[in-house]
Amino acid sequence: MTETLLPPTDEERAAMVRVDQAGEFGATRIYAGQRAVMGDRGPVASAIAHMAEQEERHRLKFDAIIAERGVRPTALAPLWSAAGFALGAATALMGPRAAMACTAAVETEIDLHYGQQLDRLGGSDPALSATIAEFQAEEVEHKAEAIARGAEEALGYPLLSAAIRLGCRVAIRLSERI
Ligand SMILES: [Fe+2]
Ligand SMILES: [Fe+2]
């Protein structure tokens, strides 16, 4: 049986923009939590500062898209603000490798998420697809950098990574709807 997949509806594309803005906002909050703990010192501080800058750019762009398209932002922003900051601070307290493990886990899910959105969009919304593809490439760089800086050597990495990835998936599902 072949399934004819219709192009995404306006509502679906609004949900995509909503969740992406929520996610990029959450990313800035994770790095804010990490930087609050680590400051500007330590082996991964400069990497985190660079990633945080890019996340800020991603967030600003999705803020603009939300405004342009009149999309309702997620009502869960206060929750993602607190949860993101707490996740960043907690992993930074565990050490630089755990902070990098957090980035690697988050970016693994975001890469998958953006890839699924690009598949779903096809050629239906080239402007949105271009933004998503650009940011996805940077998220993949963040993940690679985190792994290069010892993410996988963090104590309890498999469990830590699995827990963070699960949290991301739940946050994505919720932010599409709420
Ligand atoms: Fe991002
Ligand atoms: Fe990122």
Side-chain angles (χ1 to χ4, degrees):
M1 196 176 79
T2 49
E3 192 187 342
T4 316
L5 198 56
L6 296 168
T9 60
D10 288 353
E11 202 180 322
E12 251 183 294
R13 286 185 297 124
M16 289 184 192
V17 171
R18 179 179 307 115
V19 64
D20 293 353
Q21 190 271 343
E24 297 296 353
F25 171 65
T28 66
R29 296 298 295 158
I30 291 171
Y31 289 120
Q34 293 189 335
R35 298 179 86 185
V37 169
M38 289 201 225
D40 292 330
R41 291 173 307 148
V44 298
S46 66
I48 288 176
H50 176 65
M51 294 182 206
E53 229 168 73
Q54 290 184 318
E55 300 303 354
E56 189 61 28
R57 223 185 75 241
H58 298 174
R59 183 186 67 84
L60 288 172
K61 176 67 177 178
F62 273 109
D63 283 355
I65 295 174
I66 268 209
E68 273 162 31
R69 299 187 176 206
V71 171
R72 174 182 65 74
T74 178
L76 298 173
L79 177 60
W80 303 145
S81 176
F85 191 92
L87 175 63
T91 50
L93 282 168
M94 292 166 70
R97 290 190 179 93
M100 292 292 98
C102 174
T103 293
V106 170
E107 302 295 17
T108 297
E109 290 302 324
I110 302 310
D111 176 29
L112 291 170
H113 167 72
Y114 278 155
Q116 284 164 5
Q117 285 191 338
L118 289 173
D119 285 349
R120 182 69 188 105
L121 284 168
S124 67
D125 192 332
L128 183 57
S129 289
T131 296
I132 292 171
E134 180 192 335
F135 294 176
Q136 181 188 32
E138 293 184 351
E139 313 302 7
V140 169
E141 283 173 21
H142 296 171
K143 178 183 173 182
E145 172 144 27
I147 289 170
R149 289 174 184 270
E152 290 167 335
E153 286 107 65
L155 202 64
Y157 175 76
L159 185 62
L160 182 65
S161 174
I164 293 171
R165 289 183 59 175
L166 177 63
C168 288
R169 291 199 294 274
V170 170
I172 286 169
R173 292 302 152 247
L174 289 173
S175 300
E176 282 170 345
R177 292 170 181 75
I178 301 175

